[in-house]
C-alpha cells in the first residue's frame, strides 16, 4: 500500500493555486481536489492556507441505496439552488474500486445539464489514493469547495455502508433518499439511515409502493430514539426526474439550517466533523509511518506471523506501534 | 467516544472460556464474540490464546445490496453445507447503528430453521463498541469461530459500502449476490463489487430481468481488469427461497477454494487479511490512547480549533500524535 503518485509530477505552487481557487478559477479548485484525492505531499500546505477561509458554506449530505435516484435528485437540487441564486459544489463520493477502477463514466456525464454554468462544480471523488480513506478525504474536499466560495457543498455518497453513512452524517444537514421497490423498512433500517437523516425524501413518489414506503418510514422514524425537543425529520416526496417536490426539499433544507444554527446543533455537528477529520488524517499519517518501516516492525512480516497463528494480533500491534513511536510505551498491555 | 462497557461486568476466566469454546460449547463461543464486539479489555488475552488454533476454517464472504436476498441465500447455503456434513459459523456483520440501535430482529430470527442444530452458530454482529470498526472486529470474530472448530465461517455483510466490500473481500472466497430489479450494471459496478467477487450469484433467477442482469454482469466482468491466468469468476443463478442452484454455488465454492490453495492466492488473501487486522487493531489502540489524552492534545480542543478554521488539520494532527507518542517526532512535517 505505497503512496499513490500524483497523476502528473510537477512543481506545484500551492499558494498560487489556493489564490486562484479562491478567485473562482475552476481548474485551480479541481487541482486542489486532486491533491486531496491522491493524498499529495502538498496537501498539508494547501490545507493550511485554506483553513482560515472555511466555515461559510452550507454542507449538505445526500445518501441512499443504489437505484433510488441520487444522481437525478442531486441534479434537480442543483438546478433549484442555482435558480435561487446560490452556487453549488458537488462531491460525488464514490467508494467503489478500492481495488482498481475509478469513478465511472455515469457520474462524470450525468451532470452535463449544468455544464457551462460557472456556479456549479461537480466532482466525482474516489478515495483510493488516500490512506485515511473517505473519512479523511471528504472533509478536506469539502474544505476546498468551502474556501473556494461555493454557497452550498453537496456531498453525495454512493452506497449505504457504514463509512458512507458516517460521511453523509457529518454534513450540516443530511438528506436520506429512498424509493419504493428498493427493499422494505427493515432493510432501510439495516443501513443505519434511520438515525442519520435530517430530511427523508421518498423519490419516485409516483411509483407503486411510494405511499406504503412513506408510512413505513414515518412509523420507523417515530420509534427511533431521539432526544426530546430536537429536530423532527420530515418525510418529503419527489419525482426528481420531473423536478416535482424539489422546492419543498430546498425549503426543508433552509428550515433545518436555521434550526441547526439557532439550536447549536450546527456547531456540534461541525465539531464532530473536525474531530473525525483529525482522527482520519492522524490514521493516514500513522499508516504512512508504519508502511515505511523496516526491520521487526515491518507490516508484512508481522502479518505473515499473524496469518500463520504464530503471533497474536495484539502482540503484532505492540511491535508495530513501538516501532512507529521510537521509544514509546508498548500498546495497551494489560 | 469512550470505551463501551461490557453488557455485564464480571470476572472473566479467559483461559476457561477459550477451552470451553474449543470444546464446542456454544455459549462460550458467543461470549468470546461479545468480547470482540465490545472491544473488551479481555480481548487481548482471548486472541492470544486462540491464535495457535486458527487457520483451518474456510472463510466465505457474502455481500450484496439490501433486497437481493442475502439472508435467504445464507440460510440455503448453510442447509447445503450441513447436508454435506460441514459445520458452519455465520457472522452477519451489521454496519447499521453506529449511532444508536443494534442488530435488528430480522437477523436474529431469520435463521431459526437452523435452531437446535449444534453444527450451526449464527451471530449478528455490530461494530459500534469497537474503536477499530468492522475492519478490526470482523477478523477477530472469524478467528473465534475458526478456533472453535467450525469448518466454514460465512461472513455476510449487509450494505454495499466501501468498508463492507473490503470486509467481504478479505474472505478466502467472496460471493457477490445480485438480483434483478435492484439497479443496473453501472449501479452494481459503483459499489466496487466487480473487482471483489470470486463468484457472482444472480438470485431471484426466476424474476423478470434476471437474464438481462446475467448478461450485463458477464459483459462488465469481461471488461474488468484481471491478471491473466487467474480465476475467472463464474456467474451462477439461484432461487434461494426454493434452494434452486445452491448445490452449484457450493460446488463453485469448493472449486475456488481448491484453486486458491494450489495457486497461492489463499495464502496471499490471508496475509492481506492479517495485515488489515493489524492495522485496524493498531488504529483502535491509538484511538484509545488519544481519547484518553488531556491538555494540549485533547481531541475536542483540537477539533474546536480546526472547526473554527483557527488551526489547520495537519497541525492539529501533529499535536495529537506528539501527545500520543510522548517524545515522538512531529507527524510528517515536510
Amino acid at each position: 500500500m505505497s503512496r499513490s503518485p500524483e497523476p502528473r509530477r510537477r512543481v506545484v505552487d500551492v499558494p498560487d493555486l489556493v489564490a486562484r481557487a479562491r478567485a473562482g478559477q475552476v481548474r485551480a479548485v479541481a487541482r486542489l481536489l486532486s491533491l486531496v484525492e491522491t493524498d499529495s505531499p502538498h496537501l498539508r500546505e494547501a490545507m493550511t492556507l485554506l483553513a482560515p477561509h472555511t466555515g461559510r458554506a452550507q454542507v449538505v449530505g445526500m445518501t441512499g441505496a443504489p437505484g433510488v435516484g441520487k444522481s437525478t435528485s442531486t441534479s434537480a437540487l442543483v438546478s433549484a439552488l442555482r435558480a435561487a441564486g446560490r452556487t453549488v459544489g458537488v462531491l460525488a463520493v464514490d467508494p467503489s474500486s478500492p481495488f482498481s477502477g475509478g469513478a465511472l463514466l455515469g457520474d462524470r456525464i450525468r451532470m452535463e445539464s449544468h455544464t457551462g454554468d460557472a456556479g456549479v462544480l461537480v466532482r466525482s471523488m474516489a478515495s483510493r489514493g488516500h490512506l485515511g480513506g473517505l473519512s479523511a478525504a471528504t472533509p478536506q474536499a469539502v474544505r476546498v469547495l468551502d474556501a473556494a466560495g461555493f454557497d452550498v457543498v453537496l456531498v453525495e455518497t454512493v452506497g449505504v455502508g457504514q463509512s458512507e453513512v458516517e460521511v453523509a452524517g457529518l454534513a450540516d444537514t443530511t438528506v436520506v433518499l429512498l424509493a419504493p421497490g428498493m427493499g422494505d423498512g427493515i432493510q432501510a433500517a439495516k443501513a443505519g439511515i434511520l438515525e442519520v437523516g435530517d430530511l427523508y425524501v421518498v423519490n419516485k413518489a409516483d411509483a407503486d409502493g411510494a405511499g406504503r414506503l412513506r408510512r413505513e418510514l414515518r412509523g420507523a422514524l417515530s420509534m427511533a430514539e431521539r432526544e426530546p425537543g430536537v429536530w423532527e425529520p420530515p418525510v418529503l416526496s419527489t419525482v426528481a426526474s420531473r423536478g416535482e417536490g424539489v422546492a419543498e426539499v430546498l425549503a426543508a433544507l433552509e428550515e433545518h439550517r436555521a434550526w441547526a444554527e439557532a439550536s447549536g446543533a450546527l456547531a456540534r455537528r461541525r465539531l464532530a466533523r473536525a474531530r473525525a477529520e483529525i482522527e482520519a488524517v492522524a490514521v493516514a499519517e500513522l499508516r504512512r509511518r508504519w508502511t515505511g518501516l523496516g526491520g521487526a516492525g515491518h507490516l508484512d512480516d508481522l502479518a505473515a506471523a499473524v496469518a500463520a497463528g504464530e503471533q497474536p494480533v495484539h502482540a503484532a500491534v505492540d511491535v508495530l506501534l513501538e516501532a512507529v513511536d521510537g521509544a514509546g510505551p508498548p500498546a495497551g498491555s494489560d
Side-chain angles (χ1 to χ4, degrees), chain A:
Chain A
M1 202 150 89
S2 64
R3 191 158 189 170
S4 299
E6 287 178 69
R8 281 163 294 179
R9 276 278 166 216
R10 59 182 184 199
V11 177
V12 181
D13 182 346
V14 177
D16 175 63
L17 203 57
V18 168
R20 285 193 291 119
R22 297 209 58 238
Q25 289 189 24
V26 169
R27 287 179 59 177
V29 177
R31 183 92 181 95
L32 285 170
L33 291 173
S34 293
L35 298 186
V36 171
E37 203 176 25
T38 58
D39 203 11
S40 157
H42 299 292
L43 193 55
R44 160 183 284 263
E45 186 184 358
M47 287 296 129
T48 302
L49 294 169
L50 291 167
H53 308 291
T54 55
R56 210 186 56 85
Q58 178 177 8
V59 182
V60 176
M62 175 109 81
T63 192
V68 298
K70 269 192 304 299
S71 306
T72 318
S73 297
T74 301
S75 187
L77 195 55
V78 168
S79 297
L81 286 163
R82 292 299 295 136
R86 308 184 72 188
T87 57
V88 192
V90 178
L91 286 175
V93 178
D94 188 343
S96 66
S97 308
F99 301 94
S100 73
L104 285 164
L105 191 63
D107 275 335
R108 303 236 181 244
I109 62 172
R110 70 191 162 75
M111 299 289 287
E112 60 189 7
S113 56
H114 302 290
T115 306
D117 177 356
V120 180
L121 185 148
V122 180
R123 172 69 173 234
S124 284
M125 205 181 64
S127 67
R128 64 194 175 286
H130 205 302
L131 291 173
L134 291 179
S135 329
T138 308
Q140 292 180 332
V142 167
R143 196 177 295 279
V144 168
L145 294 174
D146 183 0
F150 288 99
D151 296 321
V152 176
V153 177
L154 235 168
V155 181
E156 177 199 308
T157 52
V158 179
V160 291
Q162 186 182 30
S163 52
E164 292 74 47
V165 169
E166 282 174 354
V167 163
L170 292 173
D172 298 344
T173 303
T174 301
V175 180
V176 173
L177 275 179
L178 298 99
M182 301 300 300
D184 60 12
I186 284 201
Q187 294 286 4
K190 271 187 181 168
I193 60 167
L194 288 178
E195 289 90 358
V196 80
D198 299 306
L199 315 184
Y200 291 83
V201 177
V202 173
N203 190 31
K204 305 182 187 178
D206 56 346
D208 280 354
R212 184 172 154 245
L213 176 58
R214 269 193 301 271
R215 281 190 302 277
E216 285 187 356
L217 188 58
R218 289 202 174 103
L221 286 170
S222 70
M223 290 186 297
E225 287 173 40
R226 294 183 189 276
E227 293 160 51
V230 303
W231 176 259
E232 298 265 341
V235 176
L236 306 172
S237 296
T238 56
V239 183
S241 57
R242 295 201 299 264
E244 291 175 23
V246 178
E248 287 75 11
V249 174
L250 206 59
L253 281 176
E254 291 304 318
E255 208 181 317
H256 179 262
R257 163 75 179 215
W259 171 83
E261 209 151 9
S263 67
L266 182 65
R268 282 197 300 279
R269 200 75 72 93
R270 290 185 166 194
L271 195 65
R273 193 157 78 220
R275 200 162 47 217
E277 184 182 2
I278 293 171
E279 286 205 337
V281 172
V283 166
E285 176 53 35
L286 288 161
R287 287 228 158 99
R288 189 167 298 131
R289 289 194 202 173
W290 68 51
T291 300
L293 288 173
H298 195 285
L299 189 52
D300 280 333
D301 295 342
L302 292 170
V306 169
E310 290 159 10
Q311 189 165 34
V313 62
H314 292 83
V317 168
D318 287 353
V319 174
L320 183 68
L321 292 183
E322 242 179 309
V324 169
D325 283 1
S333 29
D334 48 7

